[in-house]
Amino acid sequence: MTREQTTFSRRAVLRHGTVAAGVLGFTVGTASAATTVSGGGDALQTAIDDASDGETLTVGDSATYDPIVVDVEVTIETSASPTIEGDGGTDAAVSVNADGVKLDGFTVTNPGGLLGVKVGRGYDDTTLSNNTIEDIGPTGRLGVTGVVVGQGDHSGIEIVNNTIQNLDQETTDDSGFPTVNGVLFDADNSDPGTVSDTTVNNNTIRDIESDIAPLGIVVQHETDGVDINNNEIRDLEAADDTDSDPSDSVDFDFTFAQGINIASPSTNETTIAHNVIEDITSAETILPEAVKIDGDGGGLTFRSNQLLVAVGLNNRNGTDSGNRDPSSDPQVDAKNNYWGSRKGPEEADFNLDADDDERSDVVGNVDFEPFLRNPPGGKGRGPNN
């Protein structure tokens, strides 16, 4: 079969397989070239610049590579333990500017930099898997982030089996509001766009520190078919250090820390299940929260999560209510979760009314019954009927 006689869907080819480099013809349902990369420095970027859609680039050594911009539909994988290191500025260590990009098995760092991996505005079918994204920040600028999915519509984003750790942000005189995010779906407030058919599964997000606000997973886009499942989010610390660091002249007089923040103006078929959220601390005023809903909670379903934080779920500030009576908030379906106690959660009117003990609180309009009396999978697990 000649090249002229063959037509195929590029996306179907990428989903169903590849063939080895050097094969000039086609086999049914498969077509791809493969290139091995080594040497560190700019060698990976050079290979990307020379690649064609559908190509696989395999890094074969454990060298350190310069930041990369991926503007072609390629799979980038490794048979070793390489590092992609950012330049410490505001750009990401890995910038994805094409559909269908896959990055698997790398360590991504950006000491003193703002971003680890960024998926650019409107790109689809990005897969980030089996990576360690670590040592990002501090920068003195707001928004240090491990993985950011940019503005616009996105479909088919997969962030799976990654470790995102050791992210840090500190206040300075010109830092603005210094948050740190493990994973951020960063929407435009006036045109949020929609994220669909997307998974954030089986990741570990840990050791995130900010003077003001460390956040594990933040979703700002509208959602339609999003799964956030089987993640471990722990060791997030909001630690205002103005007292211990005389050079830090900025003091916001409050801190907050959240495992998951949903700020979506609209949610549909969005499942948050089997996550463990624990060891989250906030130094001042606002108690730490496993989940905070600052947007629409009506399309969210929470199941079999371990919400082991002072406030397990806060739905008081949903977009439908603002600061009105929380009974007017869209009700959040949070049945069959574990709240740190056989008695289930306590209820509080405000974050500040919650108790900082081993029994998590719920705030706002949350349907939490029946609840799990033991952690999911543990002996005696079951709802309190």
Side-chain angles (χ1 to χ4, degrees):
M1 183 177 292
T2 66
R3 184 182 300 268
E4 291 77 8
Q5 294 171 324
T6 305
T7 60
F8 57 90
S9 162
R10 182 176 68 186
R11 181 164 295 179
V13 167
L14 292 177
R15 289 185 184 279
H16 294 292
T18 62
V19 296
V23 177
L24 299 179
F26 289 83
T27 58
V28 175
T30 63
S32 179
T35 298
T36 299
V37 180
S38 63
D42 65 358
L44 182 53
Q45 183 64 64
T46 298
I48 293 166
D49 294 341
D50 292 340
S52 301
D53 279 353
E55 191 164 345
T56 296
L57 307 179
T58 301
V59 175
D61 62 10
S62 299
T64 297
Y65 289 83
D66 296 342
I68 59 173
V69 177
V70 188
D71 54 5
V72 63
E73 190 173 355
V74 293
T75 294
I76 306 173
E77 60 185 23
T78 179
S79 59
S81 301
T83 297
I84 301 171
E85 184 170 317
D87 62 9
T90 58
D91 292 331
V94 177
S95 298
V96 176
N97 294 335
D99 293 338
V101 172
K102 297 177 175 62
L103 182 76
D104 185 280
F106 288 79
T107 294
V108 178
T109 70
N110 199 357
L114 193 67
L115 306 173
V117 179
K118 180 176 181 178
V119 180
R121 184 185 185 101
Y123 293 111
D124 297 333
D125 299 322
T126 299
T127 299
L128 306 174
S129 56
N130 304 307
N131 302 290
T132 298
I133 301 165
E134 62 184 2
D135 298 331
I136 315 294
T139 65
R141 297 174 65 91
L142 55 90
V144 166
T145 304
V147 175
V148 56
V149 178
Q151 298 173 357
D153 296 332
H154 297 271
S155 179
I157 304 295
E158 296 185 16
I159 303 170
V160 295
N161 298 318
N162 302 285
T163 297
I164 301 170
Q165 62 185 4
N166 299 329
L167 312 183
D168 185 24
Q169 183 61 297
E170 298 173 359
T171 54
T172 65
D173 288 339
D174 59 353
S175 63
F177 195 76
T179 61
V180 179
N181 313 283
V183 175
L184 169 63
F185 289 85
D186 184 22
D188 184 335
N189 289 336
S190 61
D191 183 16
T194 300
V195 172
S196 60
D197 299 324
T198 287
T199 58
V200 182
N201 291 354
N202 302 309
N203 301 285
T204 297
I205 300 173
R206 64 190 180 198
D207 298 323
I208 297 178
E209 183 173 343
S210 167
D211 285 352
I212 301 299
L215 309 168
I217 298 172
V218 180
V219 182
Q220 298 175 345
H221 292 75
E222 296 183 355
T223 64
D224 186 6
V226 173
D227 292 329
I228 301 174
N229 298 336
N230 296 300
N231 301 285
E232 295 184 8
I233 304 173
R234 54 168 53 94
D235 297 320
L236 276 57
E237 181 179 7
D240 187 347
D241 65 358
T242 53
D243 294 332
S244 61
D245 184 359
S247 66
D248 183 359
S249 60
V250 179
D251 188 354
F252 287 90
D253 294 323
F254 66 90
T255 62
F256 61 92
Q258 298 164 357
I260 296 175
N261 178 282
I262 304 295
S264 306
S266 174
T267 53
N268 182 45
E269 295 186 4
T270 298
T271 300
I272 301 171
H274 297 281
N275 301 285
V276 179
I277 306 176
E278 62 182 349
D279 295 330
I280 297 179
T281 58
S282 177
E284 295 185 25
T285 310
I286 301 174
L287 290 173
E289 297 162 322
V291 179
K292 177 66 180 298
I293 298 174
D294 285 318
D296 173 36
L300 304 176
T301 301
F302 291 84
R303 291 290 185 270
S304 297
N305 298 285
Q306 297 185 54
L307 306 174
L308 309 178
V309 182
V311 177
L313 198 160
N314 186 345
N315 185 38
R316 195 171 197 300
N317 293 333
T319 51
D320 284 2
S321 70
N323 293 318
R324 298 195 303 271
D325 183 342
S327 65
S328 66
D329 285 350
Q331 189 171 48
V332 173
D333 181 355
K335 304 181 189 72
N336 293 325
N337 295 283
Y338 181 63
W339 306 85
S341 169
R342 292 179 61 84
K343 297 179 180 180
E346 299 178 286
E347 296 184 76
D349 291 332
F350 296 92
N351 175 289
L352 301 184
D353 294 331
D355 294 323
D356 190 4
D357 55 24
E358 293 183 356
R359 186 180 176 189
S360 294
D361 285 61
V362 296
V363 180
N365 195 3
V366 180
D367 183 5
F368 59 83
E369 293 184 313
F371 50 80
L372 299 183
R373 300 171 63 191
N374 293 281
K379 184 177 181 180
R381 177 179 62 86
N384 178 26
N385 293 313

